[in-house]
């Protein structure tokens, strides 16, 4: 960001087994359940304060507001995210979830202003997920990949974040954000595994309720994706 100079770009690529895809998508898509797995602490006060869905469009496209408490003396951060799912399997063999932040008044006035009385600061975010078939080759040095008996799906996440934390030295900010992202990515995959293994009944209920309109459709399309050469 030209003003704050606090923009950070991140990318991660992780191959997952096919059986983990639906659980992972449910963790990402069921925004109402974010507070059940995203971490938060009372001392120091840090973590998810509120998640609000502003709209739902189609199977997976939605607009949500995520408010996060950060330790004093920093002010509460908030991001309004538009998530749009794209089935690009026929042309490129990919499923894409496009993410970008919205601002006050966007979407014909749907996006409300931040609560400035409470010191909430809106951050900027741009990124997304890409899911595509992963072909194992001799260059893969991951033992688990070679040991897997399932089809593998490469899960890629890329983002650019301006957290508006210009009061912190840039090297420290980059370190903190990268460490936080690494923890969040590991937690995301762990929660998805818990969903797959039946340890998250609320997610299982959400998958069951939307199976016909969403998750069965994803299974069908992913099966086609994995058959492609």
């Amino acid at each position: 960001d030209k003003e704050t100079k606090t923009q950070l770009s991140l990318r991660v690529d992780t191959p997952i087994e096919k059986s983990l895809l639906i659980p992972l998508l449910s963790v990402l898509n069921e925004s109402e359940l974010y507070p059940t797995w995203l971490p938060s602490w009372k001392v120091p006060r840090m973590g998810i304060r509120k998640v609000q869905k502003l709209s739902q469009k189609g199977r997976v496209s939605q607009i949500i507001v995520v408010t996060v408490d950060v330790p004093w003396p920093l002010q509460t951060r908030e991001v309004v995210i538009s998530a749009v799912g794209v089935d690009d399997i026929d042309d490129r063999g990919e499923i894409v979830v496009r993410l970008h932040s919205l601002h006050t008044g966007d979407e014909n006035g749907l996006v409300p202003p931040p609560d400035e009385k409470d010191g909430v600061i809106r951050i900027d975010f741009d990124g997304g997920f890409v899911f595509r078939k992963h072909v194992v080759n001799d260059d893969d040095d991951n033992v688990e990949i070679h040991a897997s008996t399932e089809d593998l799906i490469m899960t890629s996440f890329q983002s650019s974040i301006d957290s508006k934390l210009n009061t912190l030295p840039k090297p420290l900010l980059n370190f903190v954000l990268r460490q936080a992202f690494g923890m969040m990515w590991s937690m995301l995959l762990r929660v998805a595994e818990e969903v797959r293994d039946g340890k998250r009944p609320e997610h299982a209920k959400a998958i069951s309720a939307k199976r016909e309109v969403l998750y069965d459709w994803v299974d069908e399309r992913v099966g086609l994706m994995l058959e492609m050469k």
Side-chain angles (χ1 to χ4, degrees), residues 66-108:
V66 181
T67 308
V68 180
D69 288 317
V70 292
W72 184 89
L74 302 176
Q75 293 173 275
T76 299
R77 260 53 185 178
E78 183 175 85
V79 61
V80 183
I81 299 177
S82 171
V84 178
V86 179
D87 178 356
D88 202 17
I89 290 175
D90 294 333
D91 292 333
R92 302 185 63 180
E94 298 176 343
I95 294 176
V96 179
V97 180
R98 176 81 169 83
L99 307 171
H100 69 277
S101 57
L102 299 176
H103 302 92
T104 301
D106 285 352
E107 297 293 316
N108 296 318

Side-chain angles (χ1 to χ4, degrees), residues 157-168:
F157 174 76
Q158 187 168 350
S159 71
S160 177
I161 308 167
D162 179 12
S163 56
K164 312 294 185 182
L165 288 171
N166 55 318
T167 56
L168 294 181

Side-chain angles (χ1 to χ4, degrees), residues 141-179:
D141 57 3
N142 189 321
V143 176
E144 293 182 0
I145 289 178
H146 288 282
S148 175
T149 58
E150 290 189 43
D151 290 320
L152 295 175
I153 297 170
M154 179 58 74
T155 301
S156 301
F157 174 76
Q158 187 168 350
S159 71
S160 177
I161 308 167
D162 179 12
S163 56
K164 312 294 185 182
L165 288 171
N166 55 318
T167 56
L168 294 181
K170 188 174 180 180
L172 176 60
L173 174 64
N174 288 348
F175 174 78
V176 170
L177 290 179
R178 290 183 190 279
Q179 289 294 109

